[in-house]
Amino acid sequence: MLSGFLVVLGRSDGPENQATYVQQIIHARQQLFTGQLIHTDVRSLELAAGAESPRLFRVDILGSWRRAKPGEPQVPVSAGAQIGVKLHCSGAGLRCTSLSSERQNVLAKNGGATWVWDVRAQRAGKASFALTVTAYFRETSTVLAEKTPMRSRVDVAAPKGKNHWISWVEALWGWVTGAITSLGGLAVSASAIIAVILTVIRRQLPDAEADADTPEHVGIDRRRPRTRSVPTSRPRLRPARTQPSATGSVRFRRRSEAHRDRE
């Protein structure tokens, strides 16, 4: 109640009240001290598209420094106020669901707070993370200090059992949907986008499937051609040669013998 009253008093008109509000902000900033931020290394998440169980991303802000575990990134951060931590996720259908309050108090050097997110990826590809840390003046939206966003990128693996070209098509579709979202009110032809995707899929298919999908030639008459009947000439039958009979042979020999006797 007292802090809310002071904030309202500080925001009211009048030079004295405005000066009081400014003095409170200056004093609150002077009370800040350097704390320690430790967060999960995104490479250790080993993200895979369509994984059944989500991965946990954790952030700890401590009032004093301690030795971090191997592989835990750590950076200095302002403490001694109400701290707000946000995790921004993008790419590969990445979803980061917060499991803790966005703003928590880290007021003393022996104190601390923890933030946790569930991380899931829907598609294979590049995923980006951006972590922002802000120190607020009490429960207001007045910013006392804000750290430069800490960015990191990681590759999301394709789910097991999928071919490379299928993952590539999914990544392409993710890029197309992202482009449509970024274009906003601009008119985008859905049929043209689908045609491009189908063309790319056909080029990425194996040769056997490409041969099977080769379109047939149009305009070819596949009816059975007609055959002309060619007249065939019948072979002429020659009379069979007859052997001379026995009576004719005897007569011929007698004539020959009679002719020789005359000579």
Side-chain angles (χ1 to χ4, degrees), residues 191-213:
S191 59
I193 295 175
I194 295 174
V196 171
I197 294 176
L198 291 177
T199 302
V200 174
I201 291 175
R202 289 182 179 179
R203 292 182 179 179
Q204 294 293 329
L205 286 174
D207 295 338
E209 297 181 2
D211 294 338
D213 294 338

Side-chain angles (χ1 to χ4, degrees), residues 160-197:
K160 296 181 180 181
K162 281 194 175 182
N163 295 331
H164 172 73
W165 70 270
I166 295 179
S167 301
W168 188 88
V169 170
E170 290 180 349
L172 175 64
W173 178 252
W175 177 86
V176 171
T177 54
I180 295 175
T181 304
S182 61
L183 288 174
L186 296 179
V188 180
S189 175
S191 59
I193 295 175
I194 295 174
V196 171
I197 294 176

Side-chain angles (χ1 to χ4, degrees), residues 55-102:
R55 303 296 185 180
L56 290 180
F57 185 92
R58 176 171 174 163
V59 173
D60 293 314
I61 295 182
L62 306 175
S64 58
W65 280 75
R66 68 168 176 82
R67 181 177 297 179
K69 297 178 182 179
E72 285 185 335
Q74 54 182 336
V75 293
V77 69
S78 296
Q82 189 173 98
I83 307 298
V85 179
K86 294 182 180 180
L87 181 63
H88 305 272
C89 305
S90 61
L94 202 61
R95 292 183 179 180
C96 299
T97 304
S98 178
L99 304 179
S100 53
S101 300
E102 179 183 332

Side-chain angles (χ1 to χ4, degrees), residues 3-260:
S3 61
F5 174 75
L6 291 175
V7 171
V8 173
L9 180 63
R11 290 184 176 179
S12 62
D13 297 334
E16 294 182 359
N17 294 333
Q18 185 67 23
T20 302
Y21 177 72
V22 172
Q23 289 297 325
Q24 291 175 354
I25 298 299
I26 294 174
H27 179 71
R29 287 177 176 170
Q30 291 175 349
Q31 296 299 315
L32 296 177
F33 53 88
T34 301
Q36 181 188 27
L37 185 148
I38 303 174
H39 65 86
T40 304
D41 187 356
V42 294
R43 293 173 297 182
S44 65
L45 297 177
E46 297 181 354
L47 294 175
E52 295 181 359
S53 57
R55 303 296 185 180
L56 290 180
F57 185 92
R58 176 171 174 163
V59 173
D60 293 314
I61 295 182
L62 306 175
S64 58
W65 280 75
R66 68 168 176 82
R67 181 177 297 179
K69 297 178 182 179
E72 285 185 335
Q74 54 182 336
V75 293
V77 69
S78 296
Q82 189 173 98
I83 307 298
V85 179
K86 294 182 180 180
L87 181 63
H88 305 272
C89 305
S90 61
L94 202 61
R95 292 183 179 180
C96 299
T97 304
S98 178
L99 304 179
S100 53
S101 300
E102 179 183 332
R103 294 170 64 162
Q104 301 184 50
N105 291 321
V106 184
L107 302 176
K109 292 187 177 181
N110 59 351
T114 301
W115 291 259
V116 182
W117 291 264
D118 267 349
V119 180
R120 294 176 180 269
Q122 296 179 342
R123 300 184 301 271
K126 294 286 185 179
S128 300
F129 295 84
L131 188 64
T132 59
V133 180
T134 307
Y136 293 97
F137 176 62
R138 299 171 182 170
E139 291 82 13
T140 69
S141 58
T142 302
V143 177
L144 298 177
E146 188 169 60
K147 188 172 182 60
T148 304
M150 293 163 281
R151 303 180 182 274
S152 55
R153 299 189 67 185
V154 67
D155 291 327
V156 177
K160 296 181 180 181
K162 281 194 175 182
N163 295 331
H164 172 73
W165 70 270
I166 295 179
S167 301
W168 188 88
V169 170
E170 290 180 349
L172 175 64
W173 178 252
W175 177 86
V176 171
T177 54
I180 295 175
T181 304
S182 61
L183 288 174
L186 296 179
V188 180
S189 175
S191 59
I193 295 175
I194 295 174
V196 171
I197 294 176
L198 291 177
T199 302
V200 174
I201 291 175
R202 289 182 179 179
R203 292 182 179 179
Q204 294 293 329
L205 286 174
D207 295 338
E209 297 181 2
D211 294 338
D213 294 338
T214 303
E216 297 181 354
H217 296 286
V218 180
I220 298 179
D221 190 2
R222 298 186 176 275
R223 294 178 298 179
R224 186 175 180 181
R226 297 180 180 179
T227 56
R228 294 183 178 181
S229 58
V230 180
T232 55
S233 59
R234 297 181 179 179
R236 296 180 180 179
L237 299 177
R238 295 182 179 181
R241 295 181 180 181
T242 57
Q243 297 293 335
S245 59
T247 307
S249 300
V250 173
R251 292 178 181 178
F252 179 76
R253 286 197 299 270
R254 288 179 180 180
R255 291 177 181 177
S256 299
E257 290 176 356
H259 181 70
R260 284 196 298 268

